[in-house]
Amino acid sequence: MTSCASPYCDLVALRVLLLVLVLVLARSGSAENRCLSSLVSTCEDCLRRGPECAWCSQERFLDGAHASQRCGSVSDLRVRGCDEAFIENPNVKVEVNASISSTQVSPREINIHLRAGGEVSFVVEVHQLERYPVDLYYLVDVSASMQDNLDRLKTAGLALSHLMKEHSSDFRVGFGSFVDKPVSPYIDVHPSKLLNPCSDYEVHCRPAHGFIHVLPITHNMTEFTRVIQEQRISGNMDTPEGGFDAMLQAAVCQKDIGWRPEAKRLLLVMTDQPSHLALDSKLAGIVVPHDGRCHLEDNIYSQTTTMEHPTIAQLAEKLLENSVYSIFAVDQVQYQWYEDLLDLIPGSYVGRLFPKASNLKDLVVQAYKKLLSDVELQIELEDAQAPRFRVNVTALCPDGSTASGSTKCSSVQPKQTVFFRVTVGMSCCPAEGTDRDVLMSVRPVGFNESVTVRIRQDCGCVCTETGRCRDDPDPSPCPAETAVCRADRSEPVCSGRGVCRCGTCVCDSSRLGNIYGKFCEMDDFSCPYVKGLVCGGHGQCVSGECVCLPGWTGETCDCPVSTESCVSDDGLICGGWGKCVCGKCVCDDSRRSGALCEKCPICDSSCQSHWSCVNCHLSNGLGSDAKQRCNHSCAASSVEYVDDITELVRGKYCLYPSTEKCQHRFLMDLASERPQLHISRHPVCVWSRRYFKTFLSVFLLTVTLGIGLLTAVRQLLRARHCWWSSGSEQQFERSPKDLSYIPTTNEKTITYRRDRLPNRPVEMHSHIPKITLSDAWQ
C-alpha cells in the first residue's frame, strides 16, 4: 500500500470535514431534526421536545437502532417505515361545550388539548343586553369633612332612583360607611376621643370605624331615605382614609350586601381624600397581610385592627372576581389621585363631585353608561401555572376595528356583540407527576358570566399505558449464531456496521446520522440531501442509493411523477408551449418564461406574431363564429372588432397585408401579460377614395406653397433692385461735377423774440451770391 503525501492527505481530510459539517448544518436546520437527540429515550421525552415531534411505538421499527431514532416528525417516521397506527402524535384541539345556555357570554365551557410548544385559538362572544337590573351600593366616607355631601345624599338618593329607571328594569340601592382603622396614629386614642372624636368642637360625632354595613341592597327607597337621615359624621387624625379596606369587604361579602347574581353591581365610593395603601398599616404595627375574605360580624368589619389594608392588585382581583364596577365620586383636589388608579383597577370610573354633591345623580348615570359601553376581557390563571402559558387576545369591536393584543372595546351599544379571539400556547410540559388539568377563567369585566377553560396537557403517551413501547432486546440467553445477521453469505455480518446479538443486528451509532435496517444496510446520510432531507424526504436510503416512494422519481426522489403542477387553466401541459420535467415546465421556446411558459413579452410585442390570428378572424368573416374558431391560433387574451381604430389611443398600431392592394389595421394593447387585439372591420386600400383625397390634398397644398414661395422671392428681388437704383441717383445728383446743378439766391427773414417785443420787427436779409460754373470748377 502506498502512502499519500502529507499535504494531499491534509486536503482530503479537510474536504471530508467540510462535508460532515455541511451535513450536520443541513440536518440541524430542518424542522424534523429538532426531534433528534441522543438524550431521547422514551415517548414522553420525545413529545416534550415540541409539537412537531412524534414517537413510533412499533416494536420492529428500525431494527437495531437506538431508541432515540423512534422520535421524529410524522412524515419522517412514515418514510422510515413506521405504520400509522403506531405513531404517537397527540394533536392540539378545542372542544366547546354548547349545552350550557348563556345570554351574555358564550361559550361558557371550553376544553383544549395542548402540547409543549403548541397553541390553539377560540372565540368568545360578549353580548351587551338592554336595561340590566342594577344594584347600587353607596360606600360613603363619613369623616367630618364630608358633612355637606352626606346631607345632600339625603335628598339625592330618591332623585337618582327615579332617573335610573330610564336605564334599568330593576334598580336597587344599599348603604355602608367607613372612616379609617380605629388605631393610633390614624385616630386620637384618648378615652374621651374614642367615644366622641369631635368633643373639642362641642359636636357629638360617632366613633371612628373601618367599615359598617348599614343597609343591604333593597328597592325600598323609603327605608334608604330613613337610614341616610340617621347617619352622623365621625373623625380621624390623618388625611388618608380607609376606603380600600371598606371596598374589599363590600365586594366579597356578597350575601351580607345582598348583591343579586343577575344584576349589574355598582359600588359608589364617595370621599374627599385618598385612601391608605397596604404598607401604611405598618405605622400602626399591623403586619398581617389581608387574606381577601369577608370578615363582617354584626355588619361590622371585625379585622380592621389586625389586617393590613389590601394591595391595589388584591382589590382589583376581588372586584373582578365578584363582578363589581367601582365608581369614585371624589373632590376636585383628589381627582388626579383616583384617576391614576383607573389603569390598575379594571371596570372603574372616576368623576368630580361638585360642592355639596349637587351633581351626584348625573355623575352616577354618566358613569353607568360609560362602564357599560366599555367591554373588557380579563384572563385569570393559576399563579403557579402562569409562567408556562402565553395568552394573546384580539378584540373585534362592533365598529369593525381590530387590534392584536387589545382586550377592550369602547362605545358598545345595547344589543351589540363583541368578539374576542383568544390564543393560548404552552411553552413546556410540567414536571412528571404534576401534569393535571389547568383551569383558566375568561371573564368580561363587570359581567356575572364567564368562560371556564380547562387545559389538558398532553405530555404522555398511549403506548406507555398499554405496554406497547418495548425498545430493549430480550436479555434472556441466546445462541451466538451470526448467519441470520447476513444479507448474503458473501456479505459481512450486519453489513459491517453493527453486531449480531441473539440473531438480531444491533447497528452502530454514527455522528453522520442513523444506521438501521435488518442488516444495518440502511442509513440517512450516505444518500444525497434535498432541502435538508435525505432523498428529499420522499424515499429511503438503501446501500447508498435512494429508493423512492410511490409517486416520486429521480436520483434524489425530488421529482414528482404526476404532471398536475404543469397543467394550465385550458387543460394543456405548460399551455402547449413546453414539457413537464420533474414537476416543472421546460419551455420549447427560449423566449418564454413563467411557471407555465405563459410569459413571453418578446413573442407578443411584434406585429408579425399576430398575423396568423388576424388572418383567422378575417377568413371567418369577423363574426362571433370567428372568435370561437380562432381561440387556439391566437396568443392574445381577447380579440375585439372596431369600426374606427383611430379612436383607440393606447397600444401599438400594426398592418396586416390581406391582399396586394388592401391592408387591415389592428392594435395591440400590451397592458396585461397577454396582449389584447382590436381589429378594424374596414380595410385600407391603395386606390380607395380616402387615399385619393389625401393625395389630392397633399398635391394641391404642395403646389400652393411652391407658388407662394416663388412670388415671395420675386418680390424680394424687385425690392432690392429698386433700393440700389434709388441710392445711385441720389449720389449722382449731389456730385459737384453734375452740369445740371445751378446755384440760386435765397432770402430768409429771421425774427428774434425778446421778453418784450419791439413795435416794429427787425428784418435781416441774407444774400447768397450766385456762383458761376467757372467759379465752381475753380
Side-chain angles (χ1 to χ4, degrees):
M1 178 181 292
T2 59
S3 60
C4 62
S6 178
Y8 178 76
C9 293
D10 293 342
L11 181 61
V12 172
L14 180 61
R15 289 181 176 177
V16 173
L17 181 61
L18 290 176
L19 178 61
V20 172
L21 180 62
V22 170
L23 292 176
V24 172
L25 291 176
R27 291 172 57 85
S28 62
S30 61
E32 287 79 2
N33 290 298
R34 298 175 193 164
C35 310
L36 298 179
S37 174
S38 59
L39 301 177
V40 175
S41 59
T42 64
C43 179
E44 287 77 8
D45 293 340
C46 178
L47 298 186
R48 291 172 185 270
R49 297 192 66 84
E52 66 273 13
C53 298
W55 178 268
C56 180
S57 60
Q58 190 172 348
E59 289 192 33
R60 303 295 297 177
F61 175 68
L62 299 183
D63 290 336
H66 188 266
S68 62
Q69 302 306 316
R70 294 179 176 271
C71 185
S73 67
V74 174
S75 60
D76 185 36
L77 294 177
R78 290 173 181 169
V79 169
R80 290 193 281 166
C82 183
D83 192 270
E84 185 76 27
F86 294 94
I87 296 180
E88 297 278 349
N89 182 36
N91 294 322
V92 296
K93 57 183 177 179
V94 178
E95 299 173 348
V96 178
N97 185 0
S99 61
I100 304 177
S101 61
S102 174
T103 56
Q104 302 175 81
V105 181
S106 62
R108 296 294 301 277
E109 187 175 297
I110 297 177
N111 296 323
I112 63 177
H113 297 252
L114 280 177
R115 292 181 52 183
E119 65 177 22
V120 295
S121 297
F122 54 90
V123 176
V124 175
E125 301 180 17
V126 180
H127 186 64
Q128 190 72 282
L129 301 180
E130 190 175 16
R131 295 179 60 80
Y132 286 95
V134 175
D135 290 346
L136 175 64
Y137 190 82
Y138 289 87
L139 187 58
V140 181
D141 175 10
V142 293
S143 58
S145 58
M146 289 289 292
Q147 179 65 63
D148 292 340
N149 295 332
L150 187 61
D151 294 338
R152 177 62 179 174
L153 185 60
K154 298 175 181 179
T155 58
L158 185 60
L160 176 60
S161 176
H162 291 297
L163 186 59
M164 282 297 296
K165 289 182 179 179
E166 301 177 4
H167 308 281
S168 172
S169 59
D170 186 3
F171 180 70
R172 301 185 182 186
V173 295
F175 183 83
S177 64
F178 70 93
V179 182
D180 208 341
K181 289 184 179 294
V183 293
S184 178
Y186 307 127
I187 67 170
D188 191 340
V189 294
H190 191 275
S192 62
K193 296 297 182 68
L194 290 176
L195 297 177
N196 182 14
C198 309
S199 59
D200 293 344
Y201 305 98
E202 298 182 356
V203 176
H204 184 66
C205 295
R206 63 193 299 189
H209 53 275
F211 169 64
I212 296 179
H213 170 49
V214 181
L215 178 67
I217 299 293
T218 179
H219 58 79
N220 190 343
M221 294 305 300
T222 303
E223 180 65 14
F224 175 79
T225 304
R226 184 190 65 80
V227 169
I228 299 298
Q229 295 288 344
E230 295 177 354
Q231 296 304 309
R232 291 180 294 116
I233 61 173
S234 181
N236 60 331
M237 295 288 292
D238 63 341
T239 298
E241 315 292 4
F244 288 174
D245 241 354
M247 287 179 65
L248 191 142
Q249 292 301 303
V252 299
C253 299
Q254 295 194 38
K255 295 182 178 179
D256 300 277
I257 302 299
W259 296 115
R260 291 178 293 170
E262 72 278 6
K264 288 292 181 183
R265 303 172 181 180
L266 305 181
L267 180 60
L268 176 61
V269 181
M270 296 178 59
T271 182
D272 60 350
Q273 298 297 338
S275 177
H276 278 295
L277 302 178
L279 297 180
D280 293 352
S281 306
K282 290 180 170 44
L283 295 174
I286 303 175
V287 295
V288 178
H290 204 292
D291 60 3
R293 298 178 181 177
C294 178
H295 296 284
L296 286 184
E297 296 181 6
D298 296 330
N299 293 330
I300 298 176
Y301 177 35
S302 60
Q303 301 296 321
T304 183
T305 60
T306 57
M307 283 190 179
E308 288 186 334
H309 292 281
T311 63
I312 297 178
Q314 189 178 29
L315 175 62
E317 178 185 359
K318 294 304 176 180
L319 291 172
L320 177 64
E321 182 180 323
N322 293 277
S323 305
V324 177
Y325 288 113
S326 54
I327 303 174
F328 297 101
V330 299
D331 186 75
Q332 172 69 28
V333 178
Q334 304 301 332
Y335 179 82
Q336 185 62 45
W337 194 90
Y338 283 94
E339 188 180 35
D340 294 339
L341 296 176
L342 296 183
D343 295 334
L344 304 176
I345 303 179
S348 59
Y349 178 89
V350 60
R352 294 180 177 88
L353 194 62
F354 292 172
K356 298 184 179 181
S358 58
N359 67 325
L360 178 62
K361 59 184 181 62
D362 296 328
L363 187 151
V364 174
V365 172
Q366 182 179 359
Y368 175 72
K369 292 181 179 179
K370 180 65 173 62
L371 291 172
L372 257 65
S373 66
D374 293 340
V375 179
E376 184 177 4
L377 207 64
Q378 289 287 324
I379 308 295
E380 297 178 4
L381 195 63
E382 300 176 32
D383 294 340
Q385 306 293 338
R388 296 190 299 105
F389 294 91
R390 60 185 182 276
V391 182
N392 182 59
V393 180
T394 300
L396 178 59
C397 301
D399 59 0
S401 61
T402 304
S404 179
S406 174
T407 61
K408 183 177 180 180
C409 285
S410 300
S411 302
V412 179
Q413 301 300 319
K415 299 184 178 181
Q416 289 185 339
T417 302
V418 181
F419 298 91
F420 294 95
R421 185 175 185 269
V422 183
T423 302
V424 183
M426 187 172 68
S427 59
C428 60
C429 287
E432 294 185 7
T434 60
D435 53 346
R436 59 182 178 82
D437 293 350
V438 178
L439 294 180
M440 183 177 71
S441 177
V442 180
R443 181 187 301 274
V445 177
F447 284 71
N448 52 17
E449 296 179 3
S450 62
V451 182
T452 301
V453 181
R454 184 179 299 274
I455 304 175
R456 180 176 181 180
Q457 305 169 91
D458 289 336
C459 298
C461 295
V462 177
C463 67
T464 304
E465 301 171 0
T466 59
R468 288 188 296 145
C469 299
R470 296 182 59 189
D471 303 323
D472 299 328
D474 190 357
S476 59
C478 58
E481 178 64 35
T482 60
V484 294
C485 294
R486 302 172 184 266
D488 197 323
R489 292 183 179 179
S490 60
E491 295 290 334
V493 175
C494 298
S495 302
R497 302 196 295 183
V499 295
C500 184
R501 293 179 181 175
C502 299
T504 302
C505 285
V506 178
C507 304
D508 298 335
S509 60
S510 173
R511 295 183 179 180
L512 298 179
N514 304 318
I515 301 175
Y516 59 97
K518 183 177 181 181
F519 304 105
C520 299
E521 78 282 5
M522 304 173 69
D523 61 65
D524 57 3
F525 57 85
S526 61
C527 290
Y529 277 73
V530 178
K531 296 181 179 179
L533 300 177
V534 63
C535 298
H538 305 123
Q540 293 181 331
C541 185
V542 180
S543 299
E545 296 182 358
C546 288
V547 179
C548 302
L549 295 176
W552 298 90
T553 185
E555 293 183 359
T556 57
C557 299
D558 60 339
C559 291
V561 177
S562 174
T563 59
E564 293 182 1
S565 59
C566 299
V567 179
S568 57
D569 294 337
D570 54 5
L572 299 177
I573 299 296
C574 302
W577 295 307
K579 299 177 182 178
C580 188
V581 179
C582 196
K584 297 181 179 179
C585 286
V586 178
C587 305
D588 297 333
D589 192 342
S590 60
R591 298 176 299 174
R592 291 193 169 273
S593 62
L596 299 174
C597 300
E598 74 280 4
K599 298 180 180 179
C600 187
I602 301 177
C603 301
D604 298 334
S605 61
S606 63
C607 295
Q608 289 82 357
S609 61
H610 298 284
W611 278 8
S612 59
C613 177
V614 175
N615 181 44
C616 179
H617 283 271
L618 294 176
S619 302
N620 289 278
L622 299 179
S624 58
D625 295 338
K627 293 184 178 181
Q628 298 178 357
R629 297 178 181 178
C630 300
N631 286 337
H632 297 287
S633 62
C634 290
S637 59
S638 64
V639 179
E640 299 293 338
Y641 309 137
V642 295
D643 291 325
D644 188 2
I645 201 170
T646 59
E647 295 180 354
L648 304 178
V649 296
R650 187 181 68 176
K652 179 179 179 181
Y653 286 96
C654 297
L655 290 176
Y656 171 70
S658 58
T659 61
E660 295 182 358
K661 297 182 180 180
C662 295
Q663 295 177 334
H664 272 80
R665 293 202 295 175
F666 64 96
L667 180 136
M668 292 189 301
D669 188 353
L670 303 175
S672 58
E673 294 183 358
R674 297 182 62 186
Q676 299 178 356
L677 298 185
H678 302 275
I679 304 176
S680 176
R681 291 190 177 92
H682 307 291
V684 179
C685 298
V686 178
W687 299 105
S688 63
R689 293 183 178 180
R690 183 176 178 183
Y691 274 93
F692 177 74
K693 291 180 180 180
T694 304
F695 172 76
L696 182 60
S697 301
V698 174
F699 175 76
L700 293 177
L701 180 61
T702 305
V703 172
T704 303
L705 291 176
I707 294 175
L709 182 62
L710 291 175
T711 303
V713 172
R714 181 179 180 185
Q715 292 295 332
L716 289 175
L717 292 176
R718 290 183 63 184
R720 185 177 181 183
H721 177 72
C722 294
W723 181 75
W724 281 104
S725 299
S726 60
S728 300
E729 290 177 358
Q730 291 178 3
Q731 185 179 2
F732 179 76
E733 289 177 355
R734 293 178 184 178
S735 176
K737 299 181 180 181
D738 190 357
L739 299 178
S740 62
Y741 177 75
I742 302 175
T744 58
T745 301
N746 294 324
E747 294 182 358
K748 291 184 178 180
T749 303
I750 300 175
T751 303
Y752 292 93
R753 183 175 179 182
R754 298 179 180 178
D755 294 337
R756 189 171 184 179
L757 295 176
N759 294 330
R760 290 181 298 178
V762 179
E763 294 183 1
M764 295 184 65
H765 298 277
S766 177
H767 177 71
I768 301 176
K770 295 182 179 181
I771 303 174
T772 62
L773 184 59
S774 59
D775 295 333
W777 283 105
Q778 292 178 359

